[in-house]
Amino acid sequence: MVWIPQISDLVDRLGAAELADALRDPASATVSVALDDPEAGRISGVGVLAAWLAVQDTWRADRKVEIEEVATTLGEGRAVGEWVVHLEGPDGERTGLPVAAAVEPSSPLPVRLHHSRLPLLGRHVVRRPMVPPDPEAHASDVVGAYKAALDAGDTAAVVAAFAPDGTFRGPSGDAYRHVGTKELTELYDAFFSAGGGIPLKLCTVTEDGTRSAFEYICDRWGGTDLPPQPGLAVCTRGGDGLIASARVYDDVEAPVE
């Protein structure tokens, strides 16, 4: 349960001022609002939203939360924000939880939060999909090539999409960051050791020329069927047109180490 107050500002940037105001103060809402959170699930209605936001305020204070902005990807009618939530765990140690939000005012579910619960609970939690796959959703150029190679389980093609010093960061934060051709090759070889690729079903694609952010459903990993569950990934292109960084936000438990 991680609410990022800056999401309201992101909604404002899309020109949806009434929705932004409703997220800041549900009691004065003039439009309906709904969001989906990895722990609480679907939240809608003025009373429920107000109570949940109050719990979030207390949780952030208790955990001494500090929010680090990572990036914002603005597309037509949709935006994706990324943050790292630095918080205090039960043992007093600080940890960083990557969190992303897809904001789409025209959607029946205009705010969709994505993050793993592994750093919070010590385990993955299966979550139901939030938006359906869209057969018309396609990532462009090198990100599209990366997605195709991921589907096919082709390590060489995946790594070729990255810059030589490109990075991959997993959902659990910097402890799962892999840098450079050698580390990426080892990582994707391990990913594909489960009997093949990871054929993600795209739901939305948000692009701004530098970054491609895509929501997806993962229901298969190599030869293993998985419960359908949502995720979000953001790929940033470098000056050479290759992927400089890829960041993933999901709670998928891989069938490989």
Side-chain angles (χ1 to χ4, degrees):
M1 68 181 197
V2 181
W3 173 250
I4 309 294
Q6 291 88 337
I7 291 174
S8 300
D9 300 330
L10 193 56
V11 175
D12 261 332
R13 291 179 66 179
L14 289 171
E18 291 181 322
L19 176 59
D21 290 343
L23 291 168
R24 294 186 182 102
D25 181 12
S28 63
T30 58
V31 296
S32 60
V33 61
L35 60 88
D36 201 288
D37 169 73
E39 180 184 38
R42 194 68 47 88
I43 298 171
S44 61
V46 168
V48 174
L49 178 61
W52 184 76
L53 290 176
V55 169
Q56 289 291 297
D57 289 343
T58 300
W59 185 87
R60 288 196 305 276
D62 290 345
R63 293 296 189 99
K64 299 180 175 59
V65 164
E66 296 177 349
I67 298 172
E68 173 192 352
E69 185 170 357
V70 175
T72 297
T73 306
L74 286 170
E76 187 172 348
R78 189 188 310 111
V80 172
E82 301 174 82
W83 302 269
V84 176
V85 176
H86 299 278
L87 55 92
E88 190 174 281
D91 55 4
E93 292 188 1
R94 301 288 290 178
T95 188
L97 174 68
V99 179
V103 174
E104 190 173 12
S106 64
S107 169
L109 186 59
V111 180
R112 304 182 288 270
L113 298 176
H114 296 267
H115 67 77
S116 174
R117 295 179 69 192
L118 182 65
L120 301 176
L121 302 178
R123 59 185 173 87
H124 295 282
V125 179
V126 174
R127 183 185 183 193
R128 66 175 178 173
M130 293 178 281
V131 287
D134 180 358
E136 301 300 318
H138 299 285
S140 62
D141 53 67
V142 70
V143 179
Y146 166 71
K147 165 67 170 57
L150 189 67
D151 290 357
D154 186 337
T155 296
V158 165
V159 175
F162 281 85
D165 59 349
T167 66
F168 172 94
R169 190 201 66 194
S172 295
D174 282 344
Y176 298 88
R177 183 185 296 273
H178 303 264
V179 183
T181 299
K182 182 178 183 294
E183 290 187 17
L184 291 173
T185 298
E186 292 172 350
L187 174 68
Y188 284 95
D189 275 346
F191 279 172
F192 300 148
S193 67
I198 309 170
L200 303 178
K201 298 177 178 177
L202 297 189
C203 303
T204 68
V205 176
T206 307
E207 297 189 311
D208 65 4
T210 298
R211 284 175 296 274
S212 290
F214 48 93
E215 291 178 283
Y216 56 82
I217 292 173
C218 181
D219 61 7
R220 188 169 182 81
W221 190 304
T224 303
D225 289 326
L226 302 175
Q229 48 201 295
L232 184 149
V234 180
C235 293
T236 301
R237 299 165 181 81
D240 57 4
L242 298 175
I243 296 173
S245 63
R247 299 178 292 274
V248 176
Y249 305 84
D250 67 24
D251 219 5
V252 176
E253 185 168 7
V256 295
E257 291 293 330

